């Protein structure tokens, strides 16, 4: 337990895929004024130093955000520019990229006055950092299990809901627990937008999650996968997967468009595949 530390992986290809999906979902949801309750069930420590000993040990961010950052001026789509402006703000506007925002920081940067942010984290070091960050950002931080914590909090008081479920999958049981938590939370708030990140592994542990979602009562589930080619990235991952339940209007086309603009320039050898797992 707790051998996983996100500092080793922050800013890698999978992180960029996940945070792009989250950024797009929340930005599109915010086209309506009504308040959104945001939940981050496995939050990590919110901000990562890409020059830390952990990050330099794996160098995963070099092929991820650092490579993308080099070509940012060629990605003129306003959504890409907004995405980069959030990373730039985390670096005080400096050109060299040292700090990378974790998922709670993406939520916090995008959050409007009417939106709330609730995060969960269990790791002692990560939760201490998250709590200090949460005080500055007026985000709720719970040092407790994010699966049961989410179920305690939904349905929220706010009319709309956006949830990121991003466990470390250190234990295989996480795949099953994601399905059960997702299905339970969705029963309590059927219009909620839920994003679930998962690794694509040669051992195909992710099949438990995919088949479980297919067999569940969930509806409108889109699957976006970034498949790495030729080499796996960190921990032998073949790719990065994202399930989006109730994707906001235009999420599907925009995710495809943004990744098809970036992938030829990014130079990382990855392709994007997207399809409905459970159609509308
Ligand atoms: N969501 C973060 C991001 O995108 O920046 C990365 C999170 S990392 C993949 C998973 C985190 O979940 C780790 O920091 C780990 O300590 C934490 N964790 C593990 N089990 C947990 C649980 N049952 N409830 C809440 N957090 C947990």
């Amino acid at each position: 337990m707790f051998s996983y530390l996100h500092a080793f992986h922050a800013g890698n290809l999978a992180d960029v895929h996940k945070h792009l999906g989250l950024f797009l979902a929340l930005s599109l949801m915010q086209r309506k004024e009504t308040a959104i309750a945001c939940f981050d069930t496995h939050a990590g420590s919110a901000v990562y130093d890409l020059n830390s000993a952990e990050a330099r040990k794996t160098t995963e961010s070099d092929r991820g955000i650092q490579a993308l950052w080099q070509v940012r001026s060629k990605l003129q789509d306003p959504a890409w520019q907004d995405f980069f402006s959030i990373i730039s703000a985390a670096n005080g506007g400096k050109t060299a990229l040292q700090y990378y925002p974790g998922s709670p920081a993406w939520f916090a940067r995008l959050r409007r006055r009417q939106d709330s942010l609730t995060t969960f984290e269990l790791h002692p070091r990560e939760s201490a950092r998250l709590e200090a960050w949460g005080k500055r950002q007026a985000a709720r931080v719970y040092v407790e299990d994010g699966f049961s914590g989410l179920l305690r909090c939904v349905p929220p008081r706010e009319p709309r809901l956006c949830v990121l479920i991003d466990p470390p999958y250190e234990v295989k049981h996480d795949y099953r627990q994601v399905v059960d938590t997702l299905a339970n939370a969705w029963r309590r708030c059927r219009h909620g937008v839920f994003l679930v990140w998962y690794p694509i592994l040669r051992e195909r542990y992710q099949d438990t999650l995919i088949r479980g979602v297919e067999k569940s009562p969930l509806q409108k589930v889109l699957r976006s996968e970034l498949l790495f080619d030729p080499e796996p990235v960190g921990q032998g991952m073949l790719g990065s997967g994202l399930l989006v339940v109730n994707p906001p209007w235009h999420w599907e086309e925009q995710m495809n468009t943004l990744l098809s603009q970036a992938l030829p320039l990014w130079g990382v050898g990855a392709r994007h595949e997207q399809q409905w797992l459970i159609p509308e």
Side-chain angles (χ1 to χ4, degrees), residues 118-135:
T118 306
T119 63
F120 302 90
E121 173 57 51
L122 269 182
H123 191 290
R125 184 184 103 173
E126 300 297 83
S127 57
R129 290 183 179 181
L130 186 68
E131 280 184 306
W133 172 89
K135 281 193 188 116

Side-chain angles (χ1 to χ4, degrees), residues 2-10 12 14 58-60 63 166-171 175 197-203 205-206 228 231-239:
F2 295 138
S3 57
Y4 182 93
L5 252 190
H6 197 63
F8 287 101
H9 312 291
N12 71 7
T58 60
T59 66
E60 287 183 28
R63 274 182 75 196
D166 181 26
Y169 299 100
E170 267 182 305
V171 288
Y175 294 95
W197 182 85
Y198 59 93
I200 300 173
L201 301 170
R202 207 182 302 280
E203 298 84 353
Y205 297 140
Q206 68 275 10
F228 311 144
E231 297 151 54
V233 168
Q235 301 188 322
M237 258 198 290
L238 302 178

Side-chain angles (χ1 to χ4, degrees), residues 4 18-19 41-44 102-103 121-123 144-146 166 168:
Y4 182 93
K18 168 181 65 187
H19 296 143
T41 61
H42 297 73
S103 52
E121 173 57 51
L122 269 182
H123 191 290
E144 66 174 80
D145 171 48
D166 181 26

